[in-house]
């Protein structure tokens, strides 16, 4: 979820409600991330790294010494990164988009594998739908498999658990929460999510400045807005303690600090967006997602 979960408020709230919160390390320095983690309450919170932006591997060791799970996305499974995580006593998790990647992640020593379907919001690793991918991955590896991609309701969570997933990973639904609005997501972004239908979640490479050739899923409205403006940069934002311009078609999604043409920035959203119709506390979302799953 990138900038939406780069602040601790949302992950802490999810963990307090009984889920596992995930804190993004994107654009965080080692010093800033360590300070943030050291200030967190003891809770089920993991840290996610985008492999293409991982320049200093010491930050992985620092995170692994402070959280139970370290998660990776955007690169081939790397046994050296997994070993760094294990050396500090944490579990290593890798997000995959194909059965071949899943086998590679298991061979690299990962403790958990996230099967990410093409329905997912944000950056997308593969091209298969979630249920087809989940079935293949479950048949290929022995480690627990987490299902991700387009999950936004209790029925969808219950479905992937019934299909054999060990857990469900939910992203877009948590953007429309009070905690995300407080620290991670711009109000214009959240309002666009609330008004969107599932069909308006578009698979594209349009927002590629800063991360070229990286497919992702955004709202159709932001593609239209970005296509209609010649403003460059389209705005400015602060992330990881740094303030910088947001280029036209940039990879960054708007957070509460963002200014400028917010509607023309990358508004990431999975295909489950059509089920999101109100802003809720994160704890209420966790309870809603679990209710039918537990009954099933």
């Amino acid at each position: 979820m990138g900038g939406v979960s780069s602040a601790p408020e949302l992950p802490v709230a999810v963990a307090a409600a009984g889920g596992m919160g995930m804190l993004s390390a994107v654009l965080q320095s080692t010093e800033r991330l360590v300070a943030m983690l050291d200030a967190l309450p003891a809770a089920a919170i993991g840290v996610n790294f985008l492999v293409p932006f991982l320049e200093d591997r010491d930050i992985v060791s620092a995170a692994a010494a402070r959280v139970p799970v370290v998660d990776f996305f955007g690169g081939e499974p790397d046994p050296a990164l997994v070993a760094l995580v294990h050396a500090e006593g944490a579990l290593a998790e890798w997000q995959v988009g194909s059965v071949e990647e899943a086998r590679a992640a298991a061979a690299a020593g990962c403790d958990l594998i996230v099967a990410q379907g093409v329905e997912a919001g944000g950056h997308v690793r593969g091209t298969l739908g979630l249920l087809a991918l989940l079935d293949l991955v479950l048949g290929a590896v022995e480690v627990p498999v987490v299902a991700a991609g387009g999950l936004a309701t209790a029925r969808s969570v219950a479905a992937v658990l019934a299909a054999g997933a060990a857990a469900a990973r939910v992203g877009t639904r948590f953007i429309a929460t009070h905690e995300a609005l407080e620290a991670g997501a711009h109000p214009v972004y959240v309002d666009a999510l609330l008004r969107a239908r599932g069909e308006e979640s578009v698979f594209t490479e349009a927002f590629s400045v800063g991360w070229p050739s990286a497919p992702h899923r955004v709202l159709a409205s932001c593609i239209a807005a970005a296509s209609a403006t010649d403003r460059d940069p389209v705005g400015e934002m602060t992330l990881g303690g740094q303030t910088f311009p947001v280029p036209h078609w940039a990879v960054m999604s708007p957070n509460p600090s963002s200014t400028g043409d917010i509607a023309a920035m990358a508004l990431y959203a999975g295909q489950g967006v059509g089920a999101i119709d109100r802003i809720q506390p994160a704890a209420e979302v966790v309870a809603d997602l679990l209710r039918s799953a537990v009954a099933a």
Side-chain angles (χ1 to χ4, degrees):
M1 294 170 69
V4 175
S5 59
S6 293
E9 285 81 356
L10 178 58
V12 167
V14 170
M20 166 159 271
M22 191 63 67
L23 180 71
S24 172
V26 64
L27 297 183
Q28 306 276 19
S29 67
T30 301
E31 295 74 17
R32 183 178 177 84
L33 182 64
V34 165
M36 194 183 305
L37 293 176
D38 285 346
L40 294 182
I45 294 173
V47 173
N48 163 261
F49 290 98
L50 299 180
V51 175
F53 302 96
L54 185 55
E55 297 178 355
D56 181 3
R57 295 194 169 198
D58 287 345
I59 194 173
V60 174
S61 297
R66 292 166 170 83
V67 297
V69 176
V70 176
D71 175 78
F72 298 97
F73 177 88
E76 295 298 320
D78 185 343
L81 284 174
V82 174
L84 286 178
V85 173
H86 287 164
E88 298 296 340
L91 301 177
E93 178 177 76
W94 211 283
Q95 298 185 49
V96 305
S98 69
V99 68
E100 292 80 13
E101 268 195 326
R103 290 193 180 103
C110 289
D111 305 284
L112 302 161
I113 292 173
V114 179
Q116 187 209 42
V118 74
E119 302 95 330
H123 284 82
V124 180
R125 191 66 185 163
T127 57
L128 282 178
L130 175 56
L131 289 179
L133 177 63
L134 179 62
D135 189 50
L136 290 172
V137 172
L138 287 170
V141 302
E142 298 296 326
V143 299
V145 177
V146 179
L151 305 179
T153 66
R155 284 187 294 271
S156 63
V157 169
V160 295
L161 295 179
R169 185 167 184 153
V170 178
T172 305
R173 174 87 185 262
F174 282 102
I175 303 174
T177 59
H178 297 301
E179 292 84 357
L181 275 168
E182 178 183 351
H186 196 282
V188 171
Y189 182 6
V190 175
D191 183 63
L193 291 177
L194 296 176
R195 290 185 287 104
R197 297 176 295 115
E199 294 84 352
E200 294 173 86
S201 170
V202 178
F203 187 56
T204 182
E205 291 187 14
F207 291 89
S208 59
V209 175
W211 194 354
S213 303
H216 48 271
R217 189 176 287 282
V218 295
L219 293 177
S221 63
C222 69
I223 297 177
S227 298
T229 184
D230 56 5
R231 180 176 177 176
D232 194 6
V234 293
E236 187 176 270
M237 69 184 299
T238 300
L239 187 63
Q242 307 172 57
T243 299
F244 45 82
V246 178
H248 195 197
W249 299 111
V251 69
M252 296 89 74
S253 61
N255 66 18
S257 75
S258 300
T259 57
D261 192 351
I262 306 300
M265 297 181 188
L267 305 183
Y268 297 113
Q271 286 187 330
V273 67
I276 303 171
D277 58 6
R278 65 194 185 281
I279 299 167
Q280 300 171 268
E284 191 174 289
V285 173
V286 173
D288 285 350
L289 292 172
L290 286 175
R291 194 168 292 119
S292 292
V294 171

